[in-house]
Amino acid sequence: MLRVGIDVGGTFIKAGVVDEGYTILHKISVPTGGDADFEALVKNIARAGELAVQEAGAQWKDVSSVGIGIPGLLNPRTGVVVLAPNLGGGWRDIPFLETVQKLLPVPVYVGNDANCAVVGETLAGAAKGNENVVMLTLGTGVGGGVVTDGKLFVGGRGLGAELGHMVLQMEGAPCGCGLNGCTEAYCSVTSLVKQTRRAMELDQKSAMHAYAKEAGLVDGRTAFECSKMGDKAALFVVENYCRYLANAIGSLVTVFRPDVVLIGGGLSNQREYLMDKLNALLPRFVFASEVIGVPPIRRATLGNDAGTIGAAFLDIM
Ligand SMILES: [Zn+2]
């Protein structure tokens, strides 16, 4: 049987038809529909699934289920989206599953997008073969997901595993969520850019000025690329950033004891340069690491496909 995975983002809806070997046979991407109202947006999501099935040359009778990943807080059992600020002008307490199920002829499963990503990587990506996995996705925010004993950990009402809002610093930097000192406030790319800008202001001679001018912007690469060229201010930013990130990962390792920790999102393109630093720092932030060791931190490998594959297999997690 085939499955359909749909990854709903603020800008695009990506839908894929996936076989039992976790291979995406066909995928499509359609605009989410910006500020469309709830019902129009749900129709777009269902239509994306329909289109993917058609274009794959399949029929609904070949499909066992549809899984949908949503960027927000939701209860996977009731299918109510409690909060999704990036969808249709902001969703609050939306009966999503009930509504979308009426538009699709096979059972529908829903999950948080970061949870879908960790499912995809666990079944088919960088954590394949592992039963205990923690994944952090570093982007505009910090998304996270946890698989324990081969099952997706979602917590009470499905609202747990918000790893990006684990507090890293008491009364620390303000986070977009309203709390202070969240992991996201230090480890998101948004925060890295802020830290980069601050370092540039303090050091007018830093190579980061020329690099940013050439690139036309300051982004998540600025400090990393300049630190590789030996720029001291850039290296300070990178090392400070990695210390916060390793500290956050260390606490997650102490709590969940994953077999492997995965890093996804744009910053994971720094590959071994980032992973080597994190792996070297990790033991000092983990309980009893000198006795029981620490798991490896690896780069997620499926990119955007992780969300699609993971959504498709929500039914078995
Ligand atoms: Zn927060």
Side-chain angles (χ1 to χ4, degrees), residues 110-166:
V110 296
N112 163 278
D113 58 352
N115 285 342
C116 291
V118 74
V119 170
E121 292 286 348
T122 301
L123 294 175
K128 195 170 178 172
N130 293 286
E131 295 224 303
N132 295 283
V133 182
V134 166
M135 177 167 168
L136 287 177
T137 303
L138 310 172
T140 314
V142 175
V146 179
V147 168
T148 58
D149 299 328
K151 287 278 170 197
L152 182 64
F153 168 82
V154 293
R157 288 183 290 150
L159 304 179
E162 287 294 332
L163 309 186
H165 301 285
M166 175 177 72

Side-chain angles (χ1 to χ4, degrees), residues 98 134 174 247 278 281:
E98 192 187 317
V134 166
N247 193 341
L278 294 175
L281 286 164

Side-chain angles (χ1 to χ4, degrees), residues 164-166 175-180 182-185:
H165 301 285
M166 175 177 72
C175 179
C177 73
L179 294 176
N180 280 80
C182 291
T183 298
E184 179 167 302

